[in-house]
Amino acid sequence: MTRETPPRPFRSRRSRVAAAAALTSIAIAAATLSQPSPGVAGAPAPVAFRPQLVTVSTYDAADKALVQSLGLDLTEHAGHDYVEVVLHTPAELDLLKTTGLSFDVRIPDLAARETQRRTIDAAYAASVAASPLPSGRTGYRTLEDYNADMVELAKNKTLVKRFALPRKSLDGRTIYGVEIGRNIHKRDRGRPTFLLMGLHHAREWPSGELAMEFAIDLVKSFGKDKRITRLLRKARVIVVPVVNVDGFELSRSDGELSDLNGLNEADPTGGTGSVLLTPGRTYMRKNCRLIDGQDTPDGTCESVLASPGGYGAGVDLNRNYGGFWGGPGASATPADPTYRGAAAFSEPEIQNIADIVRQRQVTMVISNHTFSNLILRPNGVNPQTIGSDGLPVGDAPDEEGLKALGAKMAAQNGYANIHGWQLYDTTGTTEDYTYNATGGYGYTFEIGPNEFHPPFPQVVDEYLGAGAYAGKGNRAAYLLALAHASDKRFSGVLRGKAPKRATLRLTKSFSSPTWAGSFQDGVSSVLKVGRTGRFSWTVNPSTRPAVRSRTYQVLDSNPFFSKSAEGTTPGLTEHSDTEFVVGEPVALMRIELDWALPDDLDLEVYKRTADGLTEVASSGNAPPDKEMAEVTNAEAGTYVLRVINYSSVSPTYTLSTALFRASVVSTPDARERYTLTCEVGGKVLQRRSIFIDRGQVKNLNLKKCIRRAAR
Ligand SMILES: [Zn+2]
């Protein structure tokens, strides 16, 4: 018997794709073998529903809102004319069909894909002794693996402190994190914090992997890599790889089940197999809140299977934060995949993270998710949306800076650098809260091109970079984030002299808006002064973005230019193009298409670029509705207005184009101050009110505190 040479480690993205394709045939063969034999002889085997990933065409914002309103399980993969959705049950497929929206099935059987992934991962693990990841891992961690890795890391007493977050999960699990920095167990030297998280959403396994790998990377590289050594002297990193421990445990352990297709076959209506399990709870998203306001006995979540695809129950942890809580893009319905919870911060997992942000000077936040290759920045809702104060939400006050840092990070991983709302509207997300409450920059990374948890070699690529991004990847993006955390141009520095070994405490209480109300909040962090009495403390600006001046556009009610022209309807399924030149950038270009009969023409709008035509807007209503497409902030240039005959016998149509200007309006600016107390022996010896801006250095000689301490 001859032994086959094991495949060599994959090198480029291209070769990995090829290898994955080769392995697919093995996976399919394996899946075929595992099918149960048909039951009664002669009776046709029932066709079981397969949980699937579908791409739904959404021609405008209204279509997208329609898909959102169905309560379907939206993925974080969407573009201006599509959104991807997981269908868990036949009922959901029927519901989607009732909308009349067209859709393509991208992964027809997620259970089979799960089997395939396991086969690919096993082959990868067998083909390499170790992956090039800092840990050398060749497959996804379990929750136990994460906890063990953090225990292992904490053996490095110079660099790592492992800690339990204050609140247990609903199923009674302790949630751990690691804090990394030079001399981490010694006195706090006023260093700022970069907070990196994974797995708010249970099924998004790479989001935890990349956070954990970065932690291991930092510890392994300290003392060897100059840049990392320097960065860990200036800042600390807190990594919470698994925020949603209960959800992840269920998703990850069910991902190992192999007989789910069999279960589906047993119940073709989608009962045991696909209603309760999709496949298993591998595609679960939320946490284990089964009943609002109640903490069910530990282990209940694991034993309760009566939730469609495991996503029916639970709170969407990335809609439960206080910032804008309760607004668009988050559901008030408990069974909905984006259920926001009974109140802002109702969930222990989110209280845990908020505590870190309130008690540390967290100057940089990245919350990892999958998938879509995106770097998302605040705000989560379209700037024209009317907010709780009755005015448009506008852009974040630090839009320029947030965008610039996003672009630097995107140059490492090749992701699109966009606003959160450009994916779709969301409220109550991590950076909606952290940024607006503290001013520390915050981002969501949507890791990977096309799956919640792809074959593991893709995780390696996403961390280290592949193809044009080889040697960069998310590793390099995180390092930029860490450098940003201690970049004094973006934070403030309080420095000066205090009594030796005094405690300095920086606090601020405030009320922050949710979408329709408010919540009481505050920050309170502590610095222990050393033997010399000198201190230097890197802090966030004292004024929250939530109260700073923000700008928004107010559109003129009438266009400054408009034009209407009649055209001859093209033949069935054909199109006719009209060019339209926009001479100067305009706030809004609106194109309306009208025709006589209640039949169907569609409209697409393209911008002419050096590479050809790029679609910028479209409208594809069903009869009898006519078409309207809008391009906001339209650049100058040549546009192509395409009229498509879907099923119209109207001889002519009318195409109207209108251009609008807008004025830029600013809301009033407010200033907020911290309270700084200087304490010795538990007594407050001095209290000062401090205003500090981004980039500002404040010298504080706490003379009164020094004098009183000396008495
Ligand atoms: Zn997510």
Side-chain angles (χ1 to χ4, degrees):
M1 195 172 134
T2 55
R3 269 183 85 87
E4 279 180 291
T5 322
R8 270 175 301 174
F10 304 127
R11 279 284 166 244
S12 71
R13 194 180 285 275
R14 183 180 295 275
S15 71
R16 265 173 214 165
V17 170
L23 286 162
T24 303
S25 54
I26 302 168
I28 288 167
T32 311
L33 287 172
S34 70
Q35 296 294 325
S37 53
V40 187
V47 179
F49 178 80
R50 304 297 192 189
Q52 51 202 235
L53 185 64
V54 303
T55 309
V56 185
S57 295
T58 51
Y59 285 101
D60 50 30
D63 284 354
K64 213 169 265 182
L66 173 62
V67 177
Q68 268 184 306
S69 75
L70 299 175
L72 294 176
D73 187 5
L74 262 60
T75 71
E76 284 135 338
H77 194 206
H80 92 269
D81 60 355
Y82 71 93
V83 57
E84 291 198 341
V85 170
V86 178
L87 298 176
H88 296 260
T89 65
E92 291 181 345
L93 176 61
D94 292 343
L95 186 62
L96 180 59
K97 283 178 180 165
T98 62
T99 63
L101 296 171
S102 64
F103 60 91
D104 289 322
V105 178
R106 191 160 69 72
I107 301 180
D109 185 340
L110 286 168
R113 178 59 180 159
E114 206 56 39
T115 308
Q116 196 181 78
R117 178 198 56 78
R118 283 198 307 274
T119 311
I120 295 169
D121 284 2
Y124 177 65
S127 72
V128 292
S131 76
L133 289 173
S135 70
R137 282 194 68 94
T138 54
Y140 285 104
R141 289 171 171 87
T142 60
L143 182 58
E144 205 181 326
D145 292 335
Y146 278 107
N147 288 337
D149 278 355
M150 285 189 270
V151 168
E152 189 60 34
L153 269 186
K155 288 181 181 164
N156 185 326
K157 300 274 182 232
T158 320
L159 290 180
V160 185
K161 191 195 284 178
R162 185 181 75 117
F163 63 97
L165 286 112
R167 290 165 202 81
K168 288 191 173 189
S169 72
L170 291 164
D171 246 6
R173 293 186 174 87
T174 302
I175 302 158
Y176 293 98
V178 282
E179 186 173 353
I180 303 167
R182 181 173 172 258
N183 291 333
I184 202 73
H185 287 275
K186 294 200 176 156
R187 186 176 56 79
D188 185 333
R189 303 167 70 86
R191 284 176 292 181
T193 299
F194 166 34
L195 173 61
L196 178 65
M197 291 166 283
L199 286 159
H200 276 73
H201 291 145
R203 59 196 173 191
E204 301 174 0
W205 307 352
S207 69
E209 292 293 333
L210 265 60
M212 195 71 232
E213 291 299 334
F214 188 62
I216 295 170
D217 208 343
L218 292 175
V219 174
K220 284 198 164 173
S221 305
F222 184 85
K224 296 184 191 114
D225 179 307
K226 259 188 183 168
R227 182 179 174 213
I228 289 175
T229 307
R230 184 169 43 82
L231 288 171
L232 289 176
R233 286 192 173 123
K234 289 160 70 176
R236 60 190 64 223
V237 184
I238 290 181
V239 178
V240 182
V242 188
V243 173
N244 179 4
V245 285
D246 294 343
F248 173 65
E249 171 63 16
L250 290 172
S251 170
R252 180 68 184 83
S253 53
D254 280 11
E256 292 306 309
L257 299 177
S258 56
D259 59 348
L260 295 155
N261 284 312
L263 284 173
N264 274 348
E265 295 294 352
D267 186 353
T269 61
T272 321
S274 56
V275 173
L276 305 183
L277 310 157
T278 303
R281 286 151 296 190
T282 310
Y283 284 87
M284 169 171 181
R285 169 182 172 94
K286 301 190 282 177
N287 77 344
C288 271
R289 177 72 73 185
L290 300 174
I291 306 163
D292 275 339
Q294 284 189 33
D295 187 359
T296 41
D298 293 352
T300 308
C301 188
E302 195 146 10
S303 61
V304 169
L305 296 177
S307 63
Y311 75 84
V315 169
D316 182 347
L317 295 181
N318 204 33
R319 302 291 186 277
N320 189 240
Y321 288 93
F324 299 129
W325 180 88
S331 174
T333 309
D336 195 285
T338 59
Y339 179 48
R340 66 200 189 195
F345 300 113
S346 59
E347 303 311 299
E349 297 90 345
I350 295 318
Q351 293 167 23
N352 278 338
I353 301 304
D355 272 5
I356 296 175
V357 173
R358 288 169 180 147
Q359 292 169 15
R360 303 299 192 115
Q361 293 297 335
V362 175
T363 51
M364 179 69 188
V365 172
I366 293 178
S367 181
N368 287 322
H369 288 252
T370 62
F371 57 87
S372 218
N373 284 357
L374 301 173
I375 293 179
L376 303 175
R377 63 182 185 274
N379 289 321
V381 290
N382 186 302
Q384 301 301 330
T385 314
I386 303 299
S388 54
D389 59 1
L391 298 172
V393 168
D395 271 333
D398 295 294
E399 162 60 11
E400 226 173 281
L402 284 160
K403 186 180 179 183
L405 179 60
K408 278 171 72 180
M409 296 190 293
Q412 312 305 313
N413 57 20
Y415 295 179
N417 174 39
I418 63 172
H419 294 275
W421 58 265
Q422 286 173 296
L423 173 59
Y424 40 65
D425 276 351
T426 56
T427 49
T429 66
T430 313
E431 68 272 16
D432 270 351
Y433 171 64
T434 61
Y435 167 70
N436 281 298
T438 70
Y441 281 18
Y443 298 84
T444 286
F445 277 28
E446 296 287 355
I447 298 164
N450 48 25
E451 281 181 271
F452 288 116
H453 45 262
F456 197 75
Q458 275 195 34
V459 174
V460 180
D461 279 359
E462 292 298 333
Y463 187 71
L464 294 169
Y469 300 94
K472 296 181 185 173
N474 280 296
R475 177 185 198 266
Y478 297 158
L479 285 173
L480 286 176
L482 176 52
H484 171 86
S486 60
D487 188 332
K488 290 178 171 48
R489 290 172 298 171
F490 298 96
S491 47
V493 178
L494 300 174
R495 69 179 185 200
K497 211 162 179 317
K500 60 183 182 182
R501 305 205 187 284
T503 297
L504 302 184
R505 195 181 307 272
L506 202 59
T507 58
K508 188 169 54 142
S509 311
F510 45 87
S511 168
S512 278
T514 58
W515 197 257
S518 64
F519 61 99
Q520 200 52 42
D521 204 2
V523 291
S524 177
S525 53
V526 162
L527 178 75
K528 299 269 188 203
V529 178
R531 263 174 307 176
T532 63
R534 295 228 156 260
F535 65 89
S536 173
W537 194 359
T538 303
V539 298
N540 275 313
S542 57
T543 306
R544 282 171 300 149
V547 298
R548 280 179 46 199
S549 174
R550 59 180 203 270
T551 56
Y552 57 90
Q553 291 188 338
V554 177
L555 209 62
D556 294 351
S557 41
N558 294 314
F560 70 89
F561 175 87
S562 62
K563 184 188 172 186
S564 274
E566 202 164 89
T568 306
T569 303
L572 203 62
T573 75
E574 288 174 2
H575 64 258
S576 69
D577 287 351
T578 305
E579 286 207 347
F580 185 87
V581 177
V582 176
E584 57 179 290
V586 296
L588 177 75
M589 169 165 67
R590 177 183 292 153
I591 305 107
E592 288 174 282
L593 176 64
D594 197 10
W595 62 99
L597 299 170
D599 51 18
D600 206 356
L601 288 177
D602 287 339
L603 173 65
E604 286 173 357
V605 182
Y606 295 85
K607 173 127 202 293
R608 201 178 278 293
T609 64
D611 306 329
L613 297 180
T614 304
E615 191 178 323
V616 290
S618 60
S619 174
N621 293 323
D625 291 343
K626 304 306 180 191
E627 309 301 345
M628 195 264 282
E630 291 186 335
V631 184
T632 49
N633 298 318
E635 296 162 16
T638 302
Y639 290 80
V640 172
L641 316 179
R642 177 165 293 174
V643 175
I644 302 151
N645 186 347
Y646 190 75
S647 66
S648 178
V649 292
S650 302
T652 61
Y653 60 82
T654 307
L655 200 54
S656 311
T657 308
L659 303 179
F660 294 80
R661 290 198 181 98
S663 40
V664 174
V665 179
S666 299
T667 62
D669 206 14
R671 276 161 73 102
E672 290 182 331
R673 303 170 82 86
Y674 286 122
T675 299
L676 178 88
T677 55
C678 175
E679 303 166 22
V680 177
K683 276 190 184 156
V684 175
L685 302 185
Q686 189 174 0
R687 188 183 302 271
R688 280 189 61 170
S689 171
I690 309 262
F691 173 82
I692 187 154
D693 214 341
R694 273 193 211 286
Q696 210 178 353
V697 177
K698 277 245 151 125
N699 287 305
L700 298 174
N701 279 331
L702 299 167
K703 285 183 190 154
K704 188 172 159 192
C705 194
I706 295 169
R707 204 171 57 238
R708 292 181 66 183
R711 277 206 292 245

